[in-house]
Structures are given as C-alpha cells and as structure tokens.
Short mmCIF file of all heavy atoms in Angstrom, two decimals:
data_model
loop_
_atom_site.label_atom_id
_atom_site.label_comp_id
_atom_site.label_asym_id
_atom_site.label_seq_id
_atom_site.Cartn_x
_atom_site.Cartn_y
_atom_site.Cartn_z
N SER A 21 113.60 119.26 188.38
CA SER A 21 113.29 117.83 188.17
C SER A 21 111.80 117.55 188.42
O SER A 21 111.15 116.83 187.65
CB SER A 21 114.17 116.96 189.00
OG SER A 21 113.87 117.21 190.40
N VAL A 22 111.20 118.20 189.39
CA VAL A 22 109.70 118.01 189.59
C VAL A 22 108.96 118.62 188.49
O VAL A 22 108.01 118.08 188.08
CB VAL A 22 109.40 118.66 191.01
CG1 VAL A 22 107.89 118.73 191.17
CG2 VAL A 22 109.98 117.85 192.18
N LEU A 23 109.37 119.82 187.99
CA LEU A 23 108.61 120.38 186.91
C LEU A 23 108.68 119.56 185.66
O LEU A 23 107.71 119.29 184.99
CB LEU A 23 109.23 121.76 186.56
CG LEU A 23 108.61 122.52 185.50
CD1 LEU A 23 107.22 122.85 185.84
CD2 LEU A 23 109.48 123.82 185.18
N LEU A 24 109.80 119.06 185.33
CA LEU A 24 110.01 118.18 184.10
C LEU A 24 109.26 116.85 184.31
O LEU A 24 108.63 116.37 183.32
CB LEU A 24 111.37 117.87 183.85
CG LEU A 24 112.22 119.02 183.32
CD1 LEU A 24 113.59 118.74 183.13
CD2 LEU A 24 111.68 119.56 182.07
N LEU A 25 109.25 116.27 185.45
CA LEU A 25 108.47 115.12 185.78
C LEU A 25 107.01 115.34 185.58
O LEU A 25 106.20 114.49 184.95
CB LEU A 25 108.82 114.59 187.09
CG LEU A 25 108.10 113.29 187.45
CD1 LEU A 25 108.56 112.19 186.58
CD2 LEU A 25 108.32 112.88 188.90
N SER A 26 106.51 116.46 186.09
CA SER A 26 105.07 116.71 186.06
C SER A 26 104.68 116.99 184.60
O SER A 26 103.59 116.59 184.19
CB SER A 26 104.73 117.96 186.93
OG SER A 26 105.25 119.09 186.44
N LEU A 27 105.52 117.65 183.72
CA LEU A 27 105.20 117.82 182.37
C LEU A 27 105.16 116.48 181.59
O LEU A 27 104.44 116.33 180.68
CB LEU A 27 106.22 118.76 181.77
CG LEU A 27 106.13 120.29 182.20
CD1 LEU A 27 107.22 121.06 181.59
CD2 LEU A 27 104.76 120.83 181.79
N ALA A 28 106.00 115.59 181.92
CA ALA A 28 106.02 114.24 181.35
C ALA A 28 104.81 113.43 181.65
O ALA A 28 104.34 112.64 180.85
CB ALA A 28 107.35 113.56 181.68
N ILE A 29 104.31 113.51 182.84
CA ILE A 29 103.18 112.76 183.33
C ILE A 29 101.86 113.30 182.78
O ILE A 29 100.95 112.55 182.46
CB ILE A 29 103.20 112.63 184.94
CG1 ILE A 29 104.42 111.88 185.38
CG2 ILE A 29 101.93 112.04 185.41
CD1 ILE A 29 104.59 111.90 186.84
N ILE A 30 101.73 114.63 182.72
CA ILE A 30 100.40 115.23 182.33
C ILE A 30 100.14 114.84 180.79
O ILE A 30 101.01 115.18 180.01
CB ILE A 30 100.51 116.68 182.55
CG1 ILE A 30 100.59 116.99 184.03
CG2 ILE A 30 99.13 117.38 182.02
CD1 ILE A 30 100.74 118.52 184.36
N PRO A 31 99.00 114.19 180.50
CA PRO A 31 98.75 113.90 179.15
C PRO A 31 98.45 115.21 178.37
O PRO A 31 97.86 116.12 178.85
CB PRO A 31 97.50 113.01 179.21
CG PRO A 31 96.88 113.34 180.50
CD PRO A 31 97.93 113.81 181.35
N LYS A 32 98.88 115.12 177.05
CA LYS A 32 98.61 116.25 176.21
C LYS A 32 97.12 116.23 175.73
O LYS A 32 96.69 115.16 175.31
CB LYS A 32 99.52 116.20 175.01
CG LYS A 32 100.96 116.47 175.39
CD LYS A 32 101.80 116.61 174.23
CE LYS A 32 103.16 117.25 174.52
NZ LYS A 32 104.14 116.36 175.17
N GLY A 33 96.39 117.32 175.76
CA GLY A 33 95.09 117.35 175.33
C GLY A 33 94.95 117.47 173.87
O GLY A 33 95.88 117.96 173.15
N ARG A 34 93.83 117.23 173.25
CA ARG A 34 93.59 117.43 171.83
C ARG A 34 93.15 118.86 171.65
O ARG A 34 92.11 119.27 172.11
CB ARG A 34 92.54 116.47 171.33
CG ARG A 34 92.88 115.03 171.47
CD ARG A 34 91.90 114.12 170.90
NE ARG A 34 92.28 113.67 169.61
CZ ARG A 34 91.61 113.04 168.73
NH1 ARG A 34 90.35 112.78 169.00
NH2 ARG A 34 92.09 112.63 167.58
N THR A 35 93.93 119.63 170.98
CA THR A 35 93.61 121.11 170.80
C THR A 35 93.05 121.21 169.34
O THR A 35 93.35 120.38 168.45
CB THR A 35 94.77 121.96 170.96
OG1 THR A 35 95.83 121.52 170.04
CG2 THR A 35 95.32 121.82 172.34
N GLY A 36 92.27 122.26 169.17
CA GLY A 36 91.83 122.61 167.86
C GLY A 36 90.56 121.82 167.46
O GLY A 36 90.16 122.05 166.29
N LEU A 37 89.94 121.16 168.35
CA LEU A 37 88.65 120.48 168.03
C LEU A 37 87.47 121.43 168.54
O LEU A 37 87.47 121.99 169.59
CB LEU A 37 88.53 119.15 168.77
CG LEU A 37 89.44 118.11 168.19
CD1 LEU A 37 89.30 116.80 169.02
CD2 LEU A 37 89.20 117.73 166.86
N ILE A 38 86.42 121.55 167.71
CA ILE A 38 85.24 122.27 168.13
C ILE A 38 84.47 121.36 169.05
O ILE A 38 84.68 120.11 169.02
CB ILE A 38 84.47 122.77 166.87
CG1 ILE A 38 84.02 121.60 166.01
CG2 ILE A 38 85.25 123.73 166.08
CD1 ILE A 38 83.09 122.00 164.89
N PRO A 39 83.54 121.94 169.80
CA PRO A 39 82.78 121.13 170.83
C PRO A 39 82.04 119.89 170.25
O PRO A 39 82.03 118.88 170.84
CB PRO A 39 81.87 122.16 171.41
CG PRO A 39 82.53 123.42 171.33
CD PRO A 39 83.29 123.38 170.00
N GLY A 40 81.54 120.04 169.05
CA GLY A 40 80.79 118.92 168.43
C GLY A 40 81.73 117.76 168.13
O GLY A 40 81.35 116.55 168.26
N GLN A 41 82.87 118.07 167.63
CA GLN A 41 83.85 117.08 167.41
C GLN A 41 84.36 116.37 168.59
O GLN A 41 84.60 115.18 168.63
CB GLN A 41 85.00 117.64 166.51
CG GLN A 41 84.74 117.99 165.16
CD GLN A 41 85.78 118.64 164.49
OE1 GLN A 41 86.71 119.17 165.04
NE2 GLN A 41 85.79 118.65 163.09
N LYS A 42 84.58 117.15 169.65
CA LYS A 42 85.00 116.63 170.97
C LYS A 42 83.97 115.56 171.47
O LYS A 42 84.27 114.45 171.90
CB LYS A 42 85.12 117.71 171.99
CG LYS A 42 86.48 118.51 171.85
CD LYS A 42 86.60 119.53 172.96
CE LYS A 42 87.75 120.38 172.69
NZ LYS A 42 87.81 121.51 173.73
N GLN A 43 82.67 115.97 171.38
CA GLN A 43 81.67 115.09 171.90
C GLN A 43 81.59 113.80 171.09
O GLN A 43 81.44 112.73 171.54
CB GLN A 43 80.29 115.75 171.84
CG GLN A 43 79.12 114.87 172.29
CD GLN A 43 77.81 115.66 172.25
OE1 GLN A 43 77.70 116.68 171.68
NE2 GLN A 43 76.83 114.96 172.81
N CYS A 44 81.71 113.96 169.77
CA CYS A 44 81.73 112.84 168.84
C CYS A 44 82.90 111.96 169.13
O CYS A 44 82.72 110.69 169.19
CB CYS A 44 81.83 113.31 167.37
SG CYS A 44 81.59 112.05 166.13
N ASN A 45 84.04 112.46 169.37
CA ASN A 45 85.26 111.58 169.73
C ASN A 45 85.00 110.84 171.04
O ASN A 45 85.38 109.73 171.22
CB ASN A 45 86.51 112.39 169.87
CG ASN A 45 86.97 112.75 168.48
OD1 ASN A 45 86.66 112.19 167.49
ND2 ASN A 45 87.81 113.86 168.41
N ARG A 46 84.38 111.59 172.03
CA ARG A 46 84.13 110.90 173.35
C ARG A 46 83.10 109.82 173.17
O ARG A 46 83.11 108.77 173.98
CB ARG A 46 83.58 111.89 174.27
CG ARG A 46 84.61 112.78 174.81
CD ARG A 46 84.07 113.59 175.94
NE ARG A 46 84.89 114.80 176.20
CZ ARG A 46 84.42 116.03 176.06
NH1 ARG A 46 83.24 116.36 175.82
NH2 ARG A 46 85.26 117.09 176.21
N LEU A 47 82.24 109.84 172.21
CA LEU A 47 81.21 108.84 172.00
C LEU A 47 81.64 107.79 171.02
O LEU A 47 80.83 106.94 170.55
CB LEU A 47 79.87 109.44 171.49
CG LEU A 47 79.17 110.42 172.52
CD1 LEU A 47 78.04 111.05 171.84
CD2 LEU A 47 78.76 109.64 173.72
N LYS A 48 82.99 107.74 170.71
CA LYS A 48 83.53 106.79 169.79
C LYS A 48 82.94 106.93 168.36
O LYS A 48 82.76 105.91 167.71
CB LYS A 48 83.41 105.42 170.31
CG LYS A 48 83.88 105.16 171.67
CD LYS A 48 85.29 104.99 171.77
CE LYS A 48 85.77 104.59 173.10
NZ LYS A 48 86.55 105.52 173.82
N GLY A 49 82.61 108.08 167.92
CA GLY A 49 82.02 108.34 166.71
C GLY A 49 83.10 108.97 165.70
O GLY A 49 84.17 109.26 166.04
N VAL A 50 82.65 109.13 164.38
CA VAL A 50 83.41 109.72 163.38
C VAL A 50 82.67 110.82 162.67
O VAL A 50 81.49 110.66 162.38
CB VAL A 50 83.83 108.69 162.38
CG1 VAL A 50 84.73 109.27 161.18
CG2 VAL A 50 84.61 107.53 162.99
N CYS A 51 83.27 111.99 162.51
CA CYS A 51 82.62 113.11 161.83
C CYS A 51 82.64 112.81 160.23
O CYS A 51 83.73 112.67 159.76
CB CYS A 51 83.22 114.41 162.05
SG CYS A 51 83.00 114.88 163.83
N LYS A 52 81.55 112.77 159.59
CA LYS A 52 81.55 112.44 158.11
C LYS A 52 80.75 113.52 157.41
O LYS A 52 79.75 114.05 157.92
CB LYS A 52 80.83 111.17 157.94
CG LYS A 52 81.65 110.01 158.35
CD LYS A 52 80.99 108.72 157.90
CE LYS A 52 81.91 107.58 158.17
NZ LYS A 52 81.40 106.28 157.59
N ASP A 53 81.16 113.78 156.13
CA ASP A 53 80.44 114.74 155.32
C ASP A 53 79.17 113.99 154.87
O ASP A 53 79.13 112.79 154.59
CB ASP A 53 81.32 115.13 154.06
CG ASP A 53 82.40 116.10 154.49
OD1 ASP A 53 82.21 116.87 155.34
OD2 ASP A 53 83.53 115.99 153.87
N GLY A 54 78.12 114.77 154.61
CA GLY A 54 76.89 114.20 154.06
C GLY A 54 76.15 113.47 155.20
O GLY A 54 75.44 114.13 156.02
N GLY A 55 76.11 112.19 155.23
CA GLY A 55 75.41 111.49 156.17
C GLY A 55 76.03 110.16 156.51
O GLY A 55 77.17 109.82 156.18
N CYS A 56 75.30 109.28 157.37
CA CYS A 56 75.90 108.09 157.79
C CYS A 56 75.41 106.97 156.89
O CYS A 56 74.43 107.05 156.12
CB CYS A 56 75.32 107.72 159.20
SG CYS A 56 75.62 109.09 160.42
N THR A 57 76.18 105.87 156.84
CA THR A 57 75.85 104.78 156.02
C THR A 57 74.79 103.86 156.69
O THR A 57 74.33 104.17 157.78
CB THR A 57 77.09 103.82 155.69
OG1 THR A 57 77.53 103.40 156.96
CG2 THR A 57 78.15 104.69 155.08
N THR A 58 74.39 102.85 156.00
CA THR A 58 73.26 102.05 156.60
C THR A 58 73.68 101.21 157.83
O THR A 58 72.89 100.83 158.68
CB THR A 58 72.81 101.00 155.55
OG1 THR A 58 73.90 100.29 155.05
CG2 THR A 58 72.15 101.75 154.35
#
C-alpha cells in the first residue's frame, strides 16, 4: 500500500525531450521550425 501510494503521488516526468527542448518548456517557450514571428 505504501509503494502504490508513493507511485501515485510522484509526478511523471516528461521523457524523450532533448535538453534544448526541456529548457524551452521551462521558459514557457515553443520550439518552431525556421524562426520566430514578429
């Protein structure tokens, strides 16, 4: 019961993101092809 409770409480991390995308997500940004708009 303690094991199941701890698994339910621990948030799932985002896997599969490269470090640049992680930093972009933390800064509330979006990865875009090409460049940024005005």
Side-chain angles (χ1 to χ4, degrees):
S21 62
V22 169
L23 179 66
L24 289 175
L25 181 64
S26 65
L27 289 176
I29 292 175
I30 297 173
K32 292 186 167 77
R34 299 182 102 189
T35 60
L37 291 177
I38 59 174
Q41 289 175 338
K42 285 182 186 177
Q43 181 181 10
C44 189
N45 286 340
R46 284 189 201 120
L47 295 173
K48 308 284 190 243
V50 177
C51 292
K52 290 189 170 186
D53 288 328
C56 303
T57 62
T58 56

